[in-house]
Amino acid sequence: MDIKPETPWDGTPDISARIIAAISRVSSVLRAGMWEFATAENLNPAQAEILQLLNGRTQGVRLSWLAAQLSVSAASASDSVAALEKKGLVRKARAEDDGRASALWLTEQGKGLVERMTTAVSFADDAAAALDAEVQGQLLVGLFKLIAQLQKSERFPALRACLSCRYFEPNVYPGAPAPHHCALVKAPLPIAFLRIDCAEHLPTDAAAERRNWDVFA
């Protein structure tokens, strides 16, 4: 029986495992920074994350959507929202698209708190901005490709990303530096301008979204 000789690199985890380990470490650092800020503001981590999720959503969001984003039960999300309402950071009102349902918005006080929270973890943005522009672009594309694969597992929550938006038109200009098109601004969409979270996002249908993510899969 042939026995492979040992090398100095035996036992090195697969590169996929090391990618996930690196992302996990970065996530831990970001979470620690956010939790440090949240604790100083008398918030728990779930409440801080809810404030971040509500930020920029001018049409309000449903409680069920928040629960899905947090991967918690509706009852658990409701308890966190109730605490934020008492603090004056979140308000509840009738949904604009359905008068029978309720939606949630940040109050002005809540918006101010989120702005301070963003500043508290700006060290991560500074670190990414310090990377070479080409590396930033490659990293962004790589993360979109990873998200595209995770979408197949149905474990990834819904995003207001370009690829799930009705305005996104993939590969309109194949081979060009800006291969895609945004029908909202009526202009070619460079890879470097793809968004994970866009305030102007309008959900496309499920079939179109799958096709769009397949562009990066």
Side-chain angles (χ1 to χ4, degrees):
M1 179 178 63
D2 292 336
I3 299 177
K4 293 183 178 180
E6 292 185 1
T7 74
W9 314 115
D10 284 351
T12 301
D14 290 341
I15 191 169
S16 58
R18 283 177 279 145
I19 289 171
I20 297 305
I23 292 174
S24 179
R25 292 294 181 90
V26 171
S27 177
S28 295
V29 171
L30 288 171
R31 191 180 300 114
M34 187 181 72
W35 287 1
E36 181 180 345
F37 175 87
T39 300
E41 296 290 338
N42 196 29
L43 300 171
N44 65 35
Q47 291 167 359
E49 191 166 356
I50 286 173
L51 293 178
Q52 287 184 313
L53 288 169
L54 290 177
N55 189 39
R57 287 175 163 79
T58 56
Q59 296 182 343
V61 302
R62 306 290 177 82
L63 180 66
S64 57
W65 180 87
L66 276 180
Q69 292 289 314
L70 296 169
S71 298
V72 300
S73 67
S76 179
S78 180
D79 289 342
S80 294
V81 167
L84 291 170
E85 285 185 276
K86 289 181 180 179
K87 296 175 187 291
L89 301 173
V90 169
R91 66 179 179 90
K92 183 185 296 183
R94 291 294 179 188
E96 295 179 355
D97 60 342
D98 185 350
R100 298 167 298 177
S102 296
L104 303 164
W105 287 264
L106 287 179
T107 63
E108 290 303 314
Q109 183 181 348
K111 292 176 183 177
L113 183 59
V114 171
E115 286 182 8
R116 299 200 304 276
M117 188 186 305
T118 301
T119 301
V121 293
S122 61
F123 63 87
D125 188 275
D126 293 341
L131 298 174
D132 180 80
E134 184 177 354
V135 173
Q136 290 185 44
Q138 292 171 344
L139 184 56
L140 180 65
V141 171
L143 289 172
F144 265 99
K145 287 181 176 290
L146 178 59
I147 291 172
Q149 293 295 336
L150 287 169
Q151 293 276 2
K152 297 178 181 179
S153 70
E154 298 184 355
R155 291 177 177 270
F156 211 91
L159 297 171
R160 294 192 303 177
C162 289
L163 278 68
S164 62
C165 181
R166 70 177 60 178
Y167 295 123
F168 180 74
E169 299 175 354
N171 293 326
V172 174
Y173 318 102
H180 311 304
H181 187 85
C182 177
L184 177 64
V185 298
K186 298 180 176 61
L189 178 61
I191 297 293
F193 281 79
L194 288 174
R195 296 185 182 184
I196 292 289
D197 188 61
C198 178
E200 287 77 33
H201 178 277
L202 288 178
T204 188
D205 63 87
E209 181 177 353
R210 283 195 299 271
R211 289 196 300 271
N212 292 344
W213 283 108
D214 284 344
V215 170
F216 281 86

